[in-house]
Structure formats: structure tokens, C-alpha cells
Amino acid sequence: MNMQMITVKGALVFYAASTGLAFAYLFSKKEKWSYWMLRLLGAGLILHLASFGFRINAFWEIPENRYFLPINSFFGALSYLSMAVALVFFVIEREHRLGILGAFVLPWTVIGTGSAVIWADPAVAGLVPALQSYWINIHPMVLMTAYAAFGNAFGVGLALLIQEHQIKSRKPSELCYRLPSIEELDDLNYKIIVAAFPVLTIGIIMGGVWAYNAWGRFWGWDPKETWALITALIYAGYLHMRFVAGLRGRKAVYVSMAGFASVIFTFIGVNFLSELHGYLSADG
């Protein structure tokens, strides 16, 4: 087993342990679970970053790959996306100290990293000429960083829906008194999306510029391009309804969750349909 896989599997172990502690904290009042959740998550991030260092080293051993980053495969993309979810949550947790939200966000890190380890091929290969561009160092990672932020927003939205259900219940559980208020969760959900949306937009524009340089056209209505645009429009609709109509709470969360469903389909589903962007298609 090479060092790349040793470190990424080590990251998976720490992510799983951190997620377990997040659930322990969800159903208890012991602050030590939140304390160790964040520290184990940090250890997982360090190992995950190290795995990318080893992957880059192997990738650069192929002459035509020199100076490019190895995220042109499903393994590389899924591994980076999972790491980005963990990193965004780490930053949010350090800022807001809402350890109870770990149970709603960190499972994505386990699902993503575990899927990469179990199902995706970690092998590196030479880049085709169209991908030999500095845009491959920027465009995919910008988009996936936005996707990771939206994944965190989804977790916050889920917590909001649970909290609303608890408040309306005649017999709310202890969880109701431990989750942040609906207003706090709604505000955090909005802050994450308003920060991620410009990143998503920039990533889409970068893809258009890269497409123009590679194929002589800015937009080709490839399934990946189309669904990335649909995702952007859903989140733009969320922000519009928030600014103009003052939409908040459960209805706003439903719109943001629809956006995240589009994110998942954009990242995974259309890979079976897109020849240009299809990690999982026969020609991708």
C-alpha cells in the first residue's frame, strides 16, 4: 500500500472518530466530546493534506503532468471534496463553537472519503492535451470548495428543520434545548450560502474561459455545464427570495436543500451523462 492510501485511510479513521464524537456530543452535555471532535478532525485534515502531497508527487512523475494538480479523476475529485467539507466545517466550528452541528455535517466527510477509498481508482494517469492547462489547478477546486460549503449549509438546514419540529412538538426532547435557535441556524445557513455563491459563480466562469481556450467556445450545454448552471440558479433564487421577499426559516431551507440536491447530481449524477466532464462515463 502506497503512502497516499495509507494517509487517506488514516484521515478516514480520524473523520469517522470525529463523527462518532459529534454524535456523542449531540446526545450528551459533555464538552470533552466537542473538544476532541475538533482535534481529531484537525488530525484527519493533516493526514488528508499529506495524502494529496503524495498524490501530487506521483502525478508529477509523469512528464506531461508536471505543474498540474491531480484532481482529474473521480478519486482525486471525491477526495478533495471530502477534505474541503471537513475544512469548511473546521473553520466554521472554530469561529462559532457550535459543536452540536458536527453530527449534521461530518457524516459527509466519512461518506465521501470512504467512497473514494472503497470504490474509486486512486491510480494516476497522464493528462490529455485539453486538460494540460493551468485552469485544472483552479477551476475544479474552486467549484468543489463551493460544493463543500453548500454541504455544510445543508447540515445546518437539517438541524434547523429538526429544531423547528422540536419546538412545535408538545413534548420536545433535550435536543431542543441544546440546538441553536431557529434564528441562529437560519442566519448561519444564509451566511454560508452568501459566501459560497460567488465562489460557485467564479468557478463556472473559469470553466467557460477554459472551455473557450480548449475548444473555442465558452458554453456548450454539456450536462455538467447545464447542471452547474441550474445549481447556481437555485442558490441565486434562494438569495433573491431572502433579500427581496424576506424568506426565512423552513421554506428558505427547502430551497437551499434543493440547491444541494442539484450539487450532488452535478458532481455525481451527470458524470454518467457527460463525455467531456464524466469521471464515471464510458468516455470520461
Side-chain angles (χ1 to χ4, degrees):
M1 186 186 300
N2 60 38
M3 287 302 297
Q4 176 195 182
M5 294 308 297
I6 291 174
T7 48
V8 77
K9 287 181 178 179
L12 175 59
V13 170
F14 277 106
Y15 289 161
S18 182
T19 302
L21 290 177
F23 277 99
Y25 183 65
L26 179 68
F27 296 107
S28 74
K29 295 182 180 180
K30 295 181 179 179
E31 290 297 326
K32 67 177 181 179
W33 301 136
S34 176
Y35 174 89
W36 283 107
M37 174 199 72
L38 190 62
R39 277 145 186 80
L40 292 183
L41 181 63
L45 278 167
I46 291 171
L47 284 175
H48 212 151
L49 284 168
S51 77
F52 266 94
F54 291 119
R55 184 170 179 80
I56 289 171
N57 182 64
F59 193 68
W60 283 2
E61 289 178 355
I62 302 173
E64 61 266 33
N65 291 350
R66 193 62 55 87
Y67 310 121
F68 301 121
L69 297 179
I71 54 174
N72 63 309
S73 68
F74 189 56
F75 178 91
L78 190 55
S79 182
Y80 176 81
L81 180 61
S82 304
M83 184 177 68
V85 170
L87 181 59
V88 170
F89 176 77
F90 188 87
V91 172
I92 292 173
E93 176 62 16
R94 292 275 296 182
E95 178 69 22
H96 295 278
R97 295 294 182 180
L98 298 172
I100 200 166
L101 293 179
F104 300 94
V105 176
L106 293 182
W108 289 116
T109 66
V110 178
I111 293 170
T113 309
S115 297
V117 168
I118 295 171
W119 290 303
D121 184 1
V124 296
L127 291 172
V128 298
L131 294 180
Q132 293 175 22
S133 166
Y134 59 87
W135 286 113
I136 198 174
N137 294 335
I138 309 172
H139 162 66
M141 288 195 297
V142 169
L143 280 177
M144 285 186 284
T145 300
Y147 293 167
F150 291 138
N152 276 263
F154 175 86
V156 173
L158 183 60
L160 185 151
L161 295 179
I162 292 174
Q163 179 68 307
E164 184 182 67
H165 176 76
Q166 289 284 329
I167 291 173
K168 291 181 177 180
S169 172
R170 292 183 179 180
K171 295 182 179 180
S173 69
E174 179 68 22
L175 184 60
C176 177
Y177 305 100
R178 302 195 61 241
L179 281 170
S181 69
I182 289 178
E183 290 74 18
E184 288 179 281
L185 292 169
D186 183 70
D187 186 55
L188 181 57
N189 186 58
Y190 163 72
K191 286 180 178 178
I192 295 172
I193 292 174
V194 82
F197 180 74
V199 180
L200 174 69
T201 304
I202 291 169
I204 293 173
I205 293 172
M206 285 179 173
V209 175
W210 185 6
Y212 183 82
N213 291 337
W215 298 300
R217 50 84 173 163
F218 183 82
W219 196 267
W221 296 107
D222 173 81
K224 193 87 165 184
E225 296 170 339
T226 302
W227 277 94
L229 178 61
I230 290 171
T231 299
L233 290 174
I234 293 173
Y235 281 112
Y238 165 87
L239 293 173
H240 173 77
M241 287 184 284
R242 173 93 183 198
F243 282 126
V244 177
L247 188 69
R248 293 175 178 271
R250 174 169 48 87
K251 292 182 179 179
V253 165
Y254 286 154
V255 176
S256 68
M257 284 183 166
F260 188 62
S262 183
V263 164
I264 293 175
F265 188 74
T266 302
F267 183 74
I268 297 178
V270 299
N271 282 299
F272 294 99
L273 307 175
S274 172
E275 294 183 1
L276 292 177
H277 298 88
Y279 296 127
L280 305 175
S281 66
D283 301 314

